Amino acid sequence: MTTTRHTTLAYRLSFNTPAFLGNAEQQGQWRTPPIKALIRQWWRVAYAADQPRGVNVTDMRRAEGQLFGVAADGKGESTRSLVRIRLSAWAAGTLKSWDNLEQPPVHHCEVERTGYKVGPHAYLGFGPLDGRGGTRFGEKVNAAIAAAEKADLSIAFPSEEKDRLYRAFWLLQHYGTLGGRSRNGWGSFGLTPCDGAPAFEGGLDKALTLPWRDALQTDWPHAIGADAKGPLIWQTEVLADWKAVMRRLAEIKIGLRTQFKFPQDRPDGRIHDRHWLSYPVTNHAVRDWGNNARLPNSLRFKVRATPDGKLMGVVFHVPCLPPAQFQPQPVAITRVWEQVHSHLDDVARLKRLPA
């Protein structure tokens, strides 16, 4: 009988920005399921990096199921996860109100009814946050996990999987975010190795990147994009706290979105360039995509801590082709992302980051 050896890693997980991690009652709470889901997401990127000839999705799904478990739903055998996660506490979030947290409003050239000003936190957190009449929690949100809240995280897995999972944890440290609106930077966190866990050394492995036009041949996120200048990663200036960083990221997102103008104020039901960034777009529905279509933005934000305890924003692109239901138009999509990358290169106080 063969006994499988296991490796256990321990980290201190500390949030750099508030996290909208909801339980069944929409109460902010520390929970392991979203952490495990995030590990799976970045494990796929690490898996793709190990396949220089391209990913066979069937093989990847089989390997992922064997490692993380499968809920068969009546279509085969269920398997238990070989990755076990433990948190030191499943405590409720301590952030109960957004009073005195919202930053001074930022300019938004399309919001005439508010004097072309929006609350930056409400803009990046729309849904969990409600910006009407001052920023506050949305109707279904009772609390959030506050910035600087910490918990101890323990992860056990088969030792034979350690190289790929180490790489996934490195990606979590540098690019991972958790919870609602996490692609906008909410739920940014840092991992501090504990009890002998290896340090997060070195920069971004080139194997984890892919020329972005090549990445657009695949309809799931599998690599960080790159161009002739290097990885598609930008950083803001260093700022004093998370509130200021999120304000800066809101300015960046508004700028890169509103450069794509609609031909008229009222929706015409057609596909326009801005729709390829993310969908839905307020007041501009696409007739052929229906009412329930969701296209997440492949440009993501992260708030990282600096060695001296201050914070900076990171913008990075994980390009992939929209699903077939969106009837992707490769020429238009390529044109849009070329313009986004050029725009970010030109933004004042934003510079390329090598990793």
Side-chain angles (χ1 to χ4, degrees), residues 178-200:
L178 284 164
R181 299 298 180 264
S182 57
R183 289 178 186 243
N184 284 348
W186 299 112
S188 293
F189 61 85
L191 296 173
T192 302
C194 304
D195 300 333
F200 296 112

Side-chain angles (χ1 to χ4, degrees), residues 13 21 29-39 83-90 152-155 178:
L13 191 157
L21 279 174
Q29 181 184 14
W30 286 85
R31 302 171 66 244
T32 58
I35 297 173
K36 187 175 181 180
L38 187 67
I39 295 171
V83 177
R84 302 191 303 275
I85 301 176
R86 178 179 296 172
L87 276 172
S88 57
W90 284 47
D152 293 329
L153 175 67
S154 177
I155 307 168
L178 284 164

Side-chain angles (χ1 to χ4, degrees), residues 36-331:
K36 187 175 181 180
L38 187 67
I39 295 171
R40 292 182 75 145
Q41 290 174 31
W42 287 106
W43 176 90
R44 293 178 197 129
V45 175
Y47 181 95
D50 291 336
Q51 316 300 320
R53 297 185 179 180
V55 176
N56 181 305
V57 174
T58 299
D59 291 345
M60 183 187 71
R61 287 176 173 168
R62 183 182 302 112
E64 181 179 347
Q66 290 171 347
L67 181 59
F68 291 99
V70 174
D73 194 24
K75 298 179 181 179
E77 293 187 4
S78 296
T79 58
R80 295 181 61 182
S81 174
L82 300 180
V83 177
R84 302 191 303 275
I85 301 176
R86 178 179 296 172
L87 276 172
S88 57
W90 284 47
T94 61
L95 185 58
K96 306 291 186 180
S97 168
W98 216 262
D99 291 349
N100 302 315
L101 294 180
E102 181 64 281
Q103 293 286 281
V106 295
H107 178 73
H108 193 307
C109 63
E110 296 176 348
V111 190
E112 182 180 3
R113 66 182 182 280
T114 59
Y116 302 103
K117 297 287 185 180
V118 296
H121 295 172
Y123 177 78
L124 290 181
F126 178 75
L129 294 178
D130 186 338
R132 294 171 294 184
T135 301
R136 58 186 181 276
F137 284 134
E139 291 181 0
K140 297 182 179 180
V141 178
N142 298 316
I145 297 175
E149 285 194 44
K150 302 176 181 179
D152 293 329
L153 175 67
S154 177
I155 307 168
F157 51 87
S159 297
E160 64 192 41
E161 300 287 344
K162 66 181 182 180
D163 289 344
R164 193 170 288 161
L165 282 169
Y166 283 169
R167 181 175 274 186
F169 298 146
W170 188 97
L171 287 163
L172 260 68
Q173 162 69 359
H174 290 85
Y175 303 104
T177 53
L178 284 164
R181 299 298 180 264
S182 57
R183 289 178 186 243
N184 284 348
W186 299 112
S188 293
F189 61 85
L191 296 173
T192 302
C194 304
D195 300 333
F200 296 112
E201 297 178 343
L204 178 65
D205 188 333
K206 188 176 180 181
L208 295 166
T209 70
L210 195 67
W212 67 271
R213 292 176 178 82
D214 294 345
L216 285 177
Q217 304 303 308
T218 302
D219 65 358
W220 57 278
H222 57 290
I224 293 174
D227 63 9
K229 298 177 183 179
L232 294 169
I233 308 169
W234 297 261
Q235 70 174 36
T236 69
E237 70 273 38
V238 175
L239 295 162
D241 57 34
W242 68 264
K243 298 184 290 292
V245 178
M246 294 304 285
R247 185 179 193 273
R248 184 79 178 99
L249 291 176
E251 293 175 326
I252 291 168
K253 186 161 189 176
I254 291 169
L256 69 87
R257 286 177 62 82
T258 57
Q259 67 176 316
F260 297 101
K261 306 297 183 182
F262 289 107
Q264 57 191 45
D265 293 336
R266 298 182 63 82
D268 59 15
R270 299 177 182 176
I271 300 173
H272 299 287
D273 280 357
R274 195 190 302 186
H275 291 119
W276 295 119
L277 293 177
S278 64
Y279 186 80
V281 179
T282 302
N283 297 326
H284 288 279
V286 174
R287 186 182 305 108
D288 291 343
W289 290 356
N291 295 326
N292 297 316
R294 294 291 183 271
L295 179 64
N297 200 326
S298 57
L299 192 74
R300 308 184 189 184
F301 295 165
K302 164 94 173 187
V303 177
R304 289 186 193 166
T306 62
D308 60 357
K310 295 184 179 180
L311 297 169
M312 68 176 183
V314 176
V315 181
F316 61 101
H317 193 197
V318 187
C320 59
L321 190 71
Q325 71 187 80
F326 289 92
Q327 305 162 27
Q329 301 172 7
V331 172

